[in-house]
Amino acid sequence: MIDTSELVRKLRASGVTRIALQFPEGLKRNAVNVASVLSDAGFFVVISGDPCYGACDLATGLLEMVELVVHFGHSPLDDTPCIMYDPYRMDFDTEVLGLAIPHLVSKDIGLVTTVQHTHMIPAITEYLVSKGITCHSVEGGARAPNPGQVLGCSYGAARKCNKKEILFVGTGQFHPLGVQLATGARVIALDPYCRTVEVVNADRFLRRRFALIEVAKRSGNFGIILTLKSGQQRRELAERLAMMRKDAFIVAVHEVSPDELLNLGFSCYVNTACPRLAYDDQDRFSVPVISPQEFEIVCGSRTFEDYQIDEII
Ligand code: SF4
C-alpha cells in the first residue's frame, strides 16, 4: 500500500515542489490517485508513462523538468541523486509459513524474499524459530541491500547465507528458480497469497535452455545486446563477448523490442541487459536470445555442466 500522507510529509521536508512519479508495471494503476493527492497538496506532478521493471531504469530524463523523481516499488541500486524511493511493502499473515514447514528437511535454513517483503523477515524468522527452525538472512550486496533480499539479477543473499536448504517467500516462479540455480541448494518456494508451496526443480528450465543453445550453435551471426539503461548496462561484458567471435557485433539499444531485433536480422542475440529478458521473454522473440554464459557455451569456452544463471554483480 502506498502511504500518501507519509509521502507528502517526506516531500515537504525535502523542500521540493516539482516532482515526477515512476511506477513499475504492477503499480501503475496507483498513478492517478497518488498524483491527485500530491497535486492537492500543492506539488507540480508529472507521471512517467514509460515501462519500468526495476530501479535499474530510473526516469532521470525527467529531472530536466522536475526537482525529484519518486520511484515506487524498488529499493536503491546505487546513489543516483534526486531520486526518492518508496519500496511498497506488502504484508501477510505469518501463520501461512506453517504450510512450508512440512516440506523442509533441515532445521537450519536460509531465508530469502523480494523487496516487498523484506520488512517481514524479522516476523518470519520469529515464527520459524518458534517452530524450532533457525533461519539466516544476510545482505547480498549493493544491488539488493536489505538482508535476505534477492532480485532477478542478484542472488547474493541466497549464496552468502551458505545453506543447503533455502526458503523463498514471495510470488512468481523466476526468483526461486534463480535461487536454486545460483546456489545449488534445495529451495522451497512459498507463495503467501496463493498459499502454495513448491520444491523448486530447475530441470525443465535447463532442458529448454539446452535446446536453445543447440539452435544458437547453428546461428550465422550474433547481436550482442547492450542496453543504454545505466543500471543494466554491462559494457565491458558486451565488449568481451563481441571479441569472442568475428560474426558477433554489439547492438546498442534503450528498449529491447522483438520488432527491432527482427529488423536487425541477426540469427541469434546475446543479452547483456536485464538477465530476465533472455529467460522470461524468449517466447516474444523469433530467434534465440541467450545469456552471456550460454554464449560462452556456444563458443566452447564453457561447458553445459558448468551452467550458471546470469547475474549483474
Ligand atoms: S536488471 Fe532486471 S532483474 Fe535487475 S533490477 Fe533491473 S529489472 Fe530487476
Side-chain angles (χ1 to χ4, degrees):
M1 204 182 130
I2 295 170
D3 184 344
T4 45
S5 313
E6 174 64 5
L7 184 58
V8 168
R9 190 195 64 73
K10 284 201 294 194
L11 288 170
R12 284 198 173 129
S14 73
V16 299
T17 56
R18 297 171 68 88
I19 54 168
L21 306 178
Q22 185 182 29
F23 297 86
E25 299 313 289
L27 297 181
K28 273 208 164 83
R29 288 287 166 125
N30 293 282
V32 179
N33 180 38
V34 176
S36 302
V37 171
L38 297 182
S39 177
D40 288 347
F43 295 98
F44 171 79
V45 183
V46 176
I47 299 168
S48 169
D50 283 334
C52 170
Y53 301 98
C56 54
D57 186 14
L58 299 169
T60 47
L62 291 175
L63 289 169
E64 285 178 16
M65 62 186 300
V66 299
E67 299 157 274
L68 184 84
V69 173
V70 184
H71 180 94
F72 293 89
H74 304 112
S75 54
L77 289 188
D78 55 31
D79 52 3
T80 305
C82 304
I83 308 289
M84 179 184 284
Y85 294 86
D86 190 324
Y88 195 79
R89 297 175 164 187
M90 291 175 71
D91 295 339
F92 53 82
D93 184 349
T94 51
E95 285 293 323
V96 74
L97 292 155
L99 297 173
I101 290 175
H103 298 269
L104 296 171
V105 297
S106 172
K107 298 274 184 217
D108 185 29
I109 63 170
L111 171 64
V112 292
T113 185
T114 47
V115 66
Q116 300 87 347
H117 309 305
T118 48
H119 67 290
M120 297 277 299
I121 289 232
I124 297 172
T125 304
E126 190 180 322
Y127 178 90
L128 291 174
V129 166
S130 77
K131 304 293 178 193
I133 297 163
T134 311
C135 53
H136 305 262
S137 301
V138 299
E139 281 178 27
R143 274 183 98 76
N146 303 306
Q149 182 190 356
V150 290
L151 283 172
C153 58
S154 175
Y155 300 99
R159 236 186 335 269
K160 288 180 188 168
C161 75
N162 203 19
K163 294 291 162 195
K164 291 197 169 66
E165 188 168 43
I166 297 174
L167 174 63
F168 170 84
V169 181
T171 55
Q173 297 183 327
F174 186 78
H175 291 98
L177 180 73
V179 170
Q180 204 285 318
L181 288 167
T183 62
R186 183 171 188 271
V187 177
I188 309 298
L190 167 68
D191 183 325
Y193 303 108
C194 296
R195 299 177 66 83
T196 54
V197 186
E198 203 182 322
V199 182
V200 176
N201 183 343
D203 286 355
R204 186 161 167 267
F205 172 86
L206 288 173
R207 275 201 301 275
R208 289 183 64 185
R209 300 313 296 182
F210 182 78
L212 208 58
I213 290 168
E214 290 304 305
V215 176
K217 281 180 180 170
R218 298 193 289 275
S219 297
N221 45 43
F222 295 83
I224 313 289
I225 298 171
L226 173 67
T227 179
L228 301 176
K229 296 178 184 179
S230 61
Q232 300 180 8
Q233 192 180 98
R234 291 184 281 176
R235 213 174 77 193
E236 277 178 25
L237 173 64
E239 290 187 18
R240 177 171 73 74
L241 297 175
M243 286 171 68
M244 289 175 77
R245 290 179 66 120
K246 281 209 158 100
D247 53 4
F249 300 91
I250 293 176
V251 176
V253 289
H254 190 76
E255 209 55 64
V256 181
S257 94
D259 286 348
E260 292 305 322
L261 296 193
L262 189 66
N263 286 344
L264 281 162
F266 284 93
S267 51
C268 179
Y269 289 91
V270 183
N271 172 47
T272 69
C274 169
R276 296 195 62 166
L277 184 81
Y279 301 129
D280 277 354
D281 293 351
Q282 181 62 59
D283 294 345
R284 293 169 53 216
F285 301 108
S286 55
V287 295
V289 178
I290 59 176
S291 71
Q293 295 78 7
E294 290 166 347
F295 183 60
E296 288 171 357
I297 297 173
V298 168
C299 295
S301 63
R302 177 189 291 271
T303 64
F304 195 75
E305 287 65 42
D306 188 26
Y307 189 92
Q308 266 182 19
I309 188 105
D310 186 25
E311 294 180 66
I312 302 180
I313 306 292

